[in-house]
Coordinates of all heavy atoms in Angstrom, one line a residue:
M21 N 0.8 -1.2 0.0 CA 0.0 0.0 0.0 C 0.9 1.3 0.0 O 1.8 1.3 0.7 CB -0.9 0.0 1.2 CG -1.7 1.2 1.4 SD -3.0 1.1 2.7 CE -4.1 0.0 1.9
T22 N 0.5 2.2 -0.8 CA 1.2 3.5 -0.9 C 0.5 4.5 -0.1 O -0.6 4.3 0.3 CB 1.3 4.0 -2.3 OG1 0.0 4.2 -2.8 CG2 2.0 2.9 -3.2
C23 N 1.2 5.7 0.1 CA 0.5 6.8 0.8 C -0.7 7.2 0.1 O -1.7 7.6 0.8 CB 1.5 7.9 1.0 SG 2.9 7.5 2.0
T24 N -0.7 7.3 -1.2 CA -1.8 7.7 -2.0 C -3.0 6.8 -1.7 O -4.1 7.2 -1.5 CB -1.5 7.7 -3.5 OG1 -0.2 8.4 -3.6 CG2 -2.5 8.4 -4.3
E25 N -2.7 5.5 -1.7 CA -3.8 4.5 -1.5 C -4.4 4.6 -0.1 O -5.6 4.5 0.1 CB -3.3 3.1 -1.7 CG -3.1 2.7 -3.2 CD -2.3 1.5 -3.4 OE1 -1.6 1.0 -2.5 OE2 -2.4 0.9 -4.5
F26 N -3.5 4.9 0.8 CA -3.9 5.0 2.2 C -4.8 6.2 2.3 O -5.9 6.1 2.9 CB -2.7 5.2 3.1 CG -3.0 5.7 4.5 CD1 -3.5 4.7 5.4 CD2 -3.0 7.0 4.9 CE1 -3.9 5.1 6.7 CE2 -3.3 7.4 6.1 CZ -3.8 6.5 7.0
L27 N -4.4 7.3 1.7 CA -5.2 8.6 1.8 C -6.6 8.4 1.1 O -7.6 8.9 1.6 CB -4.4 9.7 1.2 CG -3.2 10.2 2.0 CD1 -2.5 11.3 1.2 CD2 -3.7 10.8 3.3
A28 N -6.6 7.6 0.1 CA -7.8 7.4 -0.7 C -8.9 6.7 0.2 O -10.1 6.9 0.1 CB -7.6 6.6 -1.9
M29 N -8.4 5.9 1.2 CA -9.3 5.2 2.0 C -9.3 5.7 3.4 O -9.9 5.0 4.3 CB -9.0 3.7 1.9 CG -7.6 3.3 2.4 SD -7.4 1.6 2.3 CE -8.8 1.1 3.2
L30 N -8.8 6.8 3.6 CA -8.7 7.4 5.0 C -10.1 7.5 5.6 O -10.3 7.2 6.8 CB -8.0 8.7 5.0 CG -7.7 9.4 6.3 CD1 -6.9 8.5 7.2 CD2 -7.0 10.7 6.1
D31 N -11.0 8.0 4.8 CA -12.4 8.2 5.3 C -13.0 6.9 5.8 O -13.7 6.9 6.8 CB -13.2 8.9 4.3 CG -12.8 10.3 4.0 OD1 -12.1 10.9 4.9 OD2 -13.2 10.9 3.0
D32 N -12.7 5.8 5.0 CA -13.3 4.5 5.4 C -12.6 4.0 6.7 O -13.3 3.4 7.5 CB -13.1 3.5 4.3 CG -14.0 3.8 3.1 OD1 -14.9 4.6 3.2 OD2 -13.7 3.3 2.0
M33 N -11.3 4.3 6.8 CA -10.6 3.8 7.9 C -11.2 4.4 9.2 O -11.1 3.7 10.3 CB -9.1 4.2 7.8 CG -8.3 3.4 6.9 SD -8.3 1.6 7.4 CE -7.6 1.8 9.1
I34 N -11.6 5.6 9.1 CA -12.2 6.2 10.3 C -13.4 5.5 10.8 O -13.6 5.4 12.0 CB -12.4 7.7 10.0 CG1 -11.1 8.3 9.7 CG2 -13.2 8.4 11.1 CD1 -10.5 9.4 9.9
D35 N -14.2 5.1 9.9 CA -15.4 4.3 10.2 C -15.0 2.8 10.2 O -15.1 2.2 9.2 CB -16.5 4.6 9.2 CG -17.8 4.2 9.8 OD1 -17.8 3.4 10.7 OD2 -18.8 4.6 9.2
D36 N -14.5 2.3 11.3 CA -13.9 1.0 11.3 C -14.7 -0.1 10.7 O -14.1 -1.1 10.2 CB -13.5 0.7 12.8 CG -12.3 1.5 13.3 OD1 -11.5 1.9 12.4 OD2 -12.2 1.7 14.5
S37 N -16.0 0.0 10.8 CA -16.8 -1.1 10.4 C -16.8 -1.4 8.9 O -17.1 -2.5 8.4 CB -18.3 -0.8 10.8 OG -18.7 0.4 10.2
I38 N -16.4 -0.3 8.1 CA -16.4 -0.5 6.7 C -15.3 -1.3 6.1 O -15.4 -2.0 5.1 CB -16.4 0.9 6.0 CG1 -17.6 1.7 6.4 CG2 -16.3 0.8 4.5 CD1 -17.6 3.2 5.9
V39 N -14.2 -1.2 6.8 CA -12.9 -1.8 6.3 C -12.8 -3.3 6.5 O -12.9 -3.8 7.6 CB -11.7 -1.0 6.9 CG1 -10.4 -1.5 6.3 CG2 -11.8 0.5 6.7
A40 N -12.5 -4.0 5.4 CA -12.3 -5.5 5.5 C -11.0 -5.8 6.3 O -10.1 -5.0 6.3 CB -12.2 -6.0 4.1
A41 N -11.0 -6.9 6.9 CA -9.8 -7.4 7.7 C -8.6 -7.4 6.9 O -7.5 -6.9 7.3 CB -10.1 -8.7 8.3
E42 N -8.7 -7.8 5.6 CA -7.5 -7.9 4.7 C -7.0 -6.5 4.5 O -5.8 -6.3 4.6 CB -8.0 -8.4 3.4 CG -7.3 -9.6 2.9 CD -8.0 -10.1 1.6 OE1 -7.7 -9.5 0.5 OE2 -8.7 -11.1 1.6
T43 N -7.9 -5.5 4.2 CA -7.5 -4.2 3.9 C -6.8 -3.6 5.2 O -5.8 -2.9 5.1 CB -8.7 -3.3 3.5 OG1 -9.4 -4.0 2.5 CG2 -8.3 -2.0 3.0
R44 N -7.4 -3.8 6.3 CA -6.9 -3.3 7.6 C -5.5 -3.8 7.8 O -4.7 -3.0 8.3 CB -7.8 -3.8 8.7 CG -7.6 -3.1 10.0 CD -8.4 -3.7 11.1 NE -9.8 -3.7 10.8 CZ -10.6 -2.7 11.1 NH1 -10.1 -1.6 11.7 NH2 -11.9 -2.7 10.8
A45 N -5.2 -5.0 7.5 CA -3.9 -5.6 7.7 C -2.9 -4.8 6.8 O -1.8 -4.5 7.2 CB -3.9 -7.1 7.4
E46 N -3.3 -4.5 5.6 CA -2.4 -3.8 4.6 C -2.1 -2.4 5.2 O -1.0 -1.9 5.1 CB -3.1 -3.7 3.3 CG -2.9 -4.9 2.4 CD -3.5 -4.7 1.0 OE1 -3.3 -3.6 0.4 OE2 -4.2 -5.6 0.6
V47 N -3.2 -1.8 5.7 CA -3.1 -0.4 6.2 C -2.1 -0.5 7.4 O -1.2 0.4 7.5 CB -4.4 0.1 6.7 CG1 -4.3 1.4 7.5 CG2 -5.3 0.4 5.4
E48 N -2.3 -1.4 8.3 CA -1.4 -1.5 9.5 C 0.0 -1.7 9.1 O 0.9 -1.2 9.7 CB -1.9 -2.6 10.4 CG -3.1 -2.1 11.3 CD -3.9 -3.1 12.0 OE1 -3.4 -4.3 12.0 OE2 -4.9 -2.8 12.5
Q49 N 0.2 -2.5 8.1 CA 1.6 -2.7 7.6 C 2.2 -1.4 7.1 O 3.3 -1.1 7.4 CB 1.5 -3.8 6.4 CG 2.8 -4.5 6.2 CD 2.7 -5.5 5.1 OE1 1.9 -5.4 4.2 NE2 3.4 -6.6 5.2
H50 N 1.4 -0.7 6.4 CA 1.9 0.6 5.9 C 2.2 1.6 7.0 O 3.2 2.2 7.0 CB 0.9 1.2 4.9 CG 1.3 2.6 4.4 ND1 2.3 2.7 3.4 CD2 1.0 3.8 4.7 CE1 2.5 4.0 3.2 NE2 1.7 4.7 3.9
L51 N 1.3 1.6 8.0 CA 1.5 2.5 9.1 C 2.7 2.2 9.9 O 3.4 3.1 10.5 CB 0.3 2.5 10.0 CG -1.0 3.0 9.5 CD1 -2.1 2.9 10.5 CD2 -0.8 4.5 9.0
R52 N 3.1 0.9 9.9 CA 4.3 0.5 10.7 C 5.6 1.2 10.0 O 6.5 1.5 10.7 CB 4.5 -1.0 10.7 CG 3.8 -1.5 12.0 CD 4.3 -2.9 12.3 NE 3.9 -3.9 11.3 CZ 2.7 -4.5 11.4 NH1 1.9 -4.3 12.3 NH2 2.3 -5.4 10.4
K53 N 5.6 1.3 8.7 CA 6.8 1.9 8.1 C 6.6 3.4 7.7 O 7.6 4.0 7.3 CB 7.3 1.1 6.9 CG 6.2 0.5 6.1 CD 6.7 -0.2 4.8 CE 5.6 -0.1 3.8 NZ 6.0 -0.7 2.5
C54 N 5.4 3.8 7.8 CA 5.2 5.2 7.5 C 4.5 6.0 8.6 O 3.3 6.0 8.8 CB 4.3 5.3 6.2 SG 4.0 7.0 5.6
G55 N 5.4 6.6 9.4 CA 4.9 7.4 10.6 C 4.0 8.5 10.2 O 3.1 8.9 11.0
H56 N 4.2 9.1 9.0 CA 3.4 10.3 8.6 C 2.0 9.9 8.4 O 1.1 10.6 8.9 CB 4.0 10.9 7.3 CG 5.4 11.4 7.5 ND1 5.7 12.3 8.5 CD2 6.5 11.1 6.8 CE1 7.0 12.5 8.4 NE2 7.5 11.9 7.4
C57 N 1.7 8.8 7.8 CA 0.3 8.3 7.6 C -0.3 8.0 8.9 O -1.5 8.2 9.1 CB 0.3 7.2 6.7 SG 0.5 7.6 4.9
E58 N 0.5 7.5 9.9 CA 0.0 7.1 11.2 C -0.5 8.4 11.9 O -1.6 8.5 12.5 CB 1.1 6.5 12.0 CG 0.5 5.8 13.3 CD 1.6 5.1 14.0 OE1 2.8 5.4 13.8 OE2 1.3 4.3 14.9
V59 N 0.3 9.5 11.8 CA 0.0 10.7 12.4 C -1.3 11.3 11.7 O -2.2 11.8 12.4 CB 1.1 11.8 12.2 CG1 0.7 13.2 12.6 CG2 2.3 11.3 13.0
V60 N -1.4 11.2 10.4 CA -2.6 11.7 9.7 C -3.8 10.9 10.2 O -4.9 11.5 10.5 CB -2.5 11.5 8.2 CG1 -3.8 11.7 7.5 CG2 -1.5 12.5 7.7
L61 N -3.7 9.6 10.3 CA -4.9 8.8 10.8 C -5.3 9.2 12.2 O -6.5 9.5 12.5 CB -4.5 7.3 10.7 CG -5.6 6.4 11.2 CD1 -6.9 6.5 10.3 CD2 -5.2 4.9 11.1
N62 N -4.3 9.3 13.1 CA -4.6 9.7 14.5 C -5.2 11.1 14.6 O -6.1 11.4 15.3 CB -3.3 9.6 15.3 CG -2.9 8.2 15.5 OD1 -3.7 7.3 15.4 ND2 -1.6 8.0 15.8
T63 N -4.6 12.0 13.8 CA -5.1 13.4 13.8 C -6.5 13.5 13.3 O -7.3 14.2 13.9 CB -4.1 14.3 12.9 OG1 -2.8 14.1 13.4 CG2 -4.5 15.8 13.1
T64 N -6.7 12.8 12.2 CA -8.1 12.8 11.6 C -9.1 12.2 12.6 O -10.2 12.8 12.8 CB -8.1 12.0 10.3 OG1 -7.0 12.5 9.5 CG2 -9.4 12.2 9.6
R65 N -8.7 11.1 13.2 CA -9.6 10.5 14.2 C -10.0 11.5 15.3 O -11.1 11.6 15.7 CB -9.0 9.3 14.8 CG -9.2 8.0 14.0 CD -9.1 6.8 14.8 NE -9.4 5.6 14.0 CZ -8.7 4.6 13.7 NH1 -7.5 4.5 14.3 NH2 -9.1 3.6 13.0
K66 N -8.9 12.1 15.8 CA -9.1 13.1 16.9 C -10.0 14.2 16.5 O -10.9 14.7 17.2 CB -7.8 13.6 17.4 CG -7.1 12.7 18.4 CD -6.0 13.4 19.2 CE -5.2 12.3 19.9 NZ -3.8 12.1 19.3
T67 N -9.7 14.7 15.3 CA -10.5 15.9 14.8 C -12.0 15.4 14.7 O -12.9 16.2 15.0 CB -10.0 16.3 13.4 OG1 -8.6 16.5 13.5 CG2 -10.7 17.5 12.9
I68 N -12.2 14.3 14.2 CA -13.6 13.8 14.0 C -14.3 13.6 15.3 O -15.5 13.9 15.5 CB -13.6 12.5 13.1 CG1 -13.4 12.9 11.7 CG2 -14.9 11.7 13.3 CD1 -13.2 11.8 10.7
E69 N -13.5 13.1 16.3 CA -14.1 12.9 17.6 C -14.6 14.3 18.2 O -15.6 14.4 18.7 CB -13.1 12.4 18.6 CG -13.0 10.9 18.7 CD -11.8 10.3 19.4 OE1 -11.4 11.0 20.4 OE2 -11.3 9.3 19.0
I70 N -13.7 15.3 17.9 CA -14.1 16.6 18.4 C -15.4 17.1 17.7 O -16.3 17.6 18.3 CB -12.9 17.6 18.2 CG1 -11.8 17.3 19.1 CG2 -13.4 19.1 18.4 CD1 -10.5 17.9 18.7
Y71 N -15.4 16.9 16.4 CA -16.6 17.3 15.6 C -17.8 16.6 16.0 O -18.9 17.1 16.1 CB -16.3 17.2 14.1 CG -15.6 18.4 13.5 CD1 -14.2 18.5 13.6 CD2 -16.4 19.4 13.0 CE1 -13.6 19.7 13.1 CE2 -15.8 20.6 12.5 CZ -14.4 20.7 12.6 OH -13.8 21.8 12.1
R72 N -17.7 15.3 16.3 CA -18.8 14.5 16.7 C -19.4 14.9 18.0 O -20.6 15.0 18.2 CB -18.5 13.0 16.7 CG -18.4 12.4 15.3 CD -18.4 10.9 15.3 NE -18.5 10.5 13.9 CZ -18.0 9.3 13.5 NH1 -17.4 8.5 14.3 NH2 -18.0 9.0 12.2
S73 N -18.5 15.3 18.9 CA -18.9 15.7 20.2 C -19.6 17.1 20.1 O -20.4 17.4 21.0 CB -17.7 15.8 21.2 OG -16.9 16.9 20.8
H74 N -19.5 17.8 19.0 CA -20.2 19.0 18.8 C -21.3 18.8 17.8 O -21.9 19.8 17.3 CB -19.3 20.1 18.3 CG -18.3 20.6 19.3 ND1 -17.1 20.0 19.5 CD2 -18.4 21.6 20.2 CE1 -16.5 20.7 20.5 NE2 -17.3 21.6 20.9
Q75 N -21.7 17.5 17.6 CA -22.8 17.2 16.7 C -22.6 17.7 15.2 O -23.5 18.0 14.5 CB -24.1 17.8 17.2 CG -24.4 17.4 18.6 CD -24.7 16.0 18.8 OE1 -25.4 15.4 18.0 NE2 -24.2 15.4 19.8
I76 N -21.3 17.7 14.8 CA -21.0 18.1 13.4 C -20.4 16.8 12.8 O -19.4 16.3 13.3 CB -20.0 19.3 13.3 CG1 -20.6 20.5 14.0 CG2 -19.7 19.6 11.9 CD1 -19.6 21.5 14.3
Y77 N -21.0 16.3 11.8 CA -20.5 15.0 11.3 C -19.6 15.1 10.1 O -18.9 14.1 9.8 CB -21.7 14.1 11.0 CG -22.4 13.7 12.3 CD1 -23.4 14.4 12.9 CD2 -21.9 12.6 13.0 CE1 -24.0 14.1 14.1 CE2 -22.5 12.2 14.2 CZ -23.5 13.0 14.7 OH -24.1 12.6 15.9
E78 N -19.7 16.2 9.4 CA -18.8 16.3 8.2 C -17.5 16.9 8.6 O -17.5 18.0 9.2 CB -19.5 17.2 7.2 CG -20.7 16.5 6.6 CD -20.4 15.6 5.4 OE1 -19.7 16.0 4.5 OE2 -20.7 14.4 5.5
L79 N -16.4 16.3 8.2 CA -15.1 16.9 8.4 C -15.0 18.0 7.3 O -15.2 17.7 6.2 CB -14.0 15.8 8.2 CG -12.6 16.3 8.5 CD1 -12.4 16.5 10.0 CD2 -11.6 15.2 8.1
P80 N -14.7 19.2 7.8 CA -14.6 20.3 6.8 C -13.6 19.9 5.7 O -12.5 19.4 5.9 CB -14.1 21.5 7.6 CG -14.3 21.1 9.0 CD -14.3 19.6 9.1
Y81 N -14.0 20.2 4.5 CA -13.2 19.9 3.3 C -11.8 20.5 3.4 O -10.8 19.8 3.1 CB -13.9 20.5 2.1 CG -13.1 20.3 0.8 CD1 -13.1 19.0 0.2 CD2 -12.4 21.3 0.1 CE1 -12.5 18.8 -1.0 CE2 -11.8 21.0 -1.0 CZ -11.8 19.8 -1.6 OH -11.1 19.6 -2.8
E82 N -11.7 21.7 4.0 CA -10.5 22.4 4.1 C -9.5 21.6 5.0 O -8.3 21.5 4.7 CB -10.7 23.8 4.7 CG -9.6 24.7 4.7 CD -9.8 25.9 5.6 OE1 -11.0 26.5 5.5 OE2 -9.0 26.3 6.3
V83 N -10.0 21.1 6.1 CA -9.1 20.3 7.0 C -8.6 19.1 6.3 O -7.4 18.7 6.4 CB -10.0 19.9 8.3 CG1 -9.1 18.9 9.2 CG2 -10.4 21.1 9.1
N84 N -9.5 18.4 5.6 CA -9.1 17.2 4.9 C -8.0 17.5 3.9 O -7.0 16.8 3.8 CB -10.3 16.7 4.1 CG -10.7 15.3 4.5 OD1 -9.8 14.5 4.9 ND2 -11.9 14.9 4.3
E85 N -8.2 18.5 3.1 CA -7.2 18.9 2.1 C -5.9 19.3 2.7 O -4.8 18.9 2.2 CB -7.8 20.2 1.3 CG -8.8 19.8 0.3 CD -8.2 18.9 -0.8 OE1 -7.4 19.4 -1.6 OE2 -8.5 17.7 -0.8
R86 N -5.9 20.0 3.8 CA -4.7 20.4 4.5 C -3.9 19.2 4.9 O -2.7 19.1 4.8 CB -5.0 21.3 5.7 CG -3.9 22.3 6.0 CD -4.5 23.5 6.6 NE -5.8 23.3 7.3 CZ -5.9 23.5 8.6 NH1 -5.0 23.9 9.3 NH2 -7.1 23.2 9.2
L87 N -4.6 18.2 5.5 CA -3.9 17.0 6.0 C -3.3 16.2 4.8 O -2.2 15.7 4.9 CB -5.0 16.1 6.7 CG -5.3 16.4 8.1 CD1 -6.4 15.6 8.6 CD2 -4.0 16.1 9.0
H88 N -4.1 16.1 3.8 CA -3.6 15.3 2.6 C -2.4 16.0 2.0 O -1.5 15.3 1.6 CB -4.8 15.2 1.6 CG -5.8 14.3 1.9 ND1 -6.7 13.7 1.0 CD2 -6.1 13.7 3.1 CE1 -7.5 12.9 1.7 NE2 -7.2 12.9 2.9
A89 N -2.5 17.3 1.9 CA -1.3 18.0 1.3 C -0.1 17.8 2.1 O 1.0 17.6 1.6 CB -1.7 19.5 1.1
A90 N -0.2 17.9 3.4 CA 0.9 17.8 4.3 C 1.5 16.4 4.2 O 2.8 16.3 4.1 CB 0.5 18.1 5.7
I91 N 0.7 15.4 4.2 CA 1.2 14.0 4.2 C 1.9 13.7 2.9 O 3.0 13.1 2.8 CB 0.1 13.0 4.5 CG1 0.7 11.6 4.6 CG2 -1.0 13.0 3.5 CD1 1.2 11.3 5.9
M92 N 1.3 14.2 1.8 CA 1.9 13.9 0.5 C 3.2 14.6 0.3 O 4.1 14.0 -0.3 CB 0.9 14.3 -0.7 CG -0.3 13.4 -0.8 SD 0.1 11.6 -0.7 CE 1.0 11.4 -2.2
T93 N 3.4 15.8 0.8 CA 4.6 16.5 0.7 C 5.7 15.7 1.4 O 6.8 15.4 0.9 CB 4.5 17.9 1.3 OG1 3.4 18.5 0.7 CG2 5.8 18.7 1.1
R94 N 5.4 15.2 2.6 CA 6.4 14.5 3.4 C 6.7 13.2 2.9 O 7.9 12.7 2.8 CB 5.9 14.4 4.9 CG 6.0 15.7 5.6 CD 5.4 15.6 6.9 NE 5.3 16.9 7.6 CZ 4.6 17.1 8.7 NH1 4.1 16.1 9.3 NH2 4.6 18.3 9.2
C95 N 5.7 12.5 2.5 CA 5.9 11.1 2.0 C 6.7 11.1 0.6 O 7.4 10.2 0.4 CB 4.6 10.4 1.9 SG 4.0 9.8 3.5
K96 N 6.4 12.1 -0.2 CA 7.2 12.2 -1.4 C 8.6 12.4 -1.2 O 9.5 11.8 -1.8 CB 6.6 13.3 -2.3 CG 5.6 12.9 -3.3 CD 5.1 14.0 -4.1 CE 3.7 13.7 -4.7 NZ 2.9 14.9 -5.0
A97 N 8.9 13.2 -0.2 CA 10.3 13.5 0.1 C 11.0 12.2 0.6 O 12.2 11.9 0.4 CB 10.4 14.6 1.2
K98 N 10.2 11.4 1.3 CA 10.8 10.2 1.9 C 10.7 9.0 1.0 O 11.3 7.9 1.3 CB 10.0 9.9 3.2 CG 10.9 9.5 4.4 CD 10.1 9.3 5.6 CE 9.3 8.0 5.5 NZ 8.6 7.7 6.8
R99 N 9.8 9.1 0.0 CA 9.6 8.0 -1.0 C 9.1 6.7 -0.3 O 9.6 5.6 -0.5 CB 10.8 7.7 -1.8 CG 11.3 8.8 -2.6 CD 12.4 8.3 -3.6 NE 12.4 9.1 -4.8 CZ 11.7 8.9 -5.9 NH1 10.9 7.8 -5.9 NH2 11.8 9.6 -6.9
C100 N 8.1 6.9 0.6 CA 7.6 5.7 1.3 C 6.4 5.2 0.6 O 5.9 5.9 -0.3 CB 7.3 6.0 2.7 SG 6.1 7.3 2.9
Ligands
LIG7 ZN1 2.4 6.7 4.1

């Protein structure tokens, strides 16, 4: 799994029930070697928790874009 693939399914990852066990294993494997994606996942989860506690269910597009841009920049530099 690449960073791009990970980011493409980030939204599904947040909702744990959607992701198949096989896919989850691939993601976990990627996260073990790619700390940046791990940070993105954790940050996104936390952000969503905050939004849910305020009864807002949509992650703002802007936040999503910012996270994606940051991770892609770092991962490209590292070629992970
Ligand atoms: Zn990655």
Side-chain angles (χ1 to χ4, degrees):
M21 176 170 288
T22 64
C23 293
T24 312
E25 284 168 344
F26 169 80
L27 288 173
M29 59 179 310
L30 183 59
D31 291 342
D32 289 345
M33 280 302 298
I34 296 218
D35 196 346
D36 287 333
S37 56
I38 298 175
V39 182
E42 235 176 76
T43 312
R44 191 187 302 274
E46 278 183 47
V47 168
E48 276 165 13
Q49 203 177 29
H50 179 76
L51 291 181
R52 269 199 290 274
K53 35 173 206 179
C54 185
H56 297 307
C57 283
E58 192 179 19
V59 169
V60 166
L61 181 60
N62 290 338
T63 308
T64 308
R65 275 204 171 122
K66 279 199 192 104
T67 308
I68 283 172
E69 271 168 34
I70 292 163
Y71 273 85
R72 283 194 175 152
S73 68
H74 289 87
Q75 307 293 315
I76 302 163
Y77 291 90
E78 291 278 303
L79 189 65
Y81 181 73
E82 192 193 315
V83 172
N84 236 334
E85 281 297 288
R86 207 151 29 119
L87 278 171
H88 284 198
I91 183 86
M92 286 317 291
T93 307
R94 286 175 187 173
C95 283
K96 264 180 201 152
K98 223 179 71 174
R99 296 190 153 272
C100 59

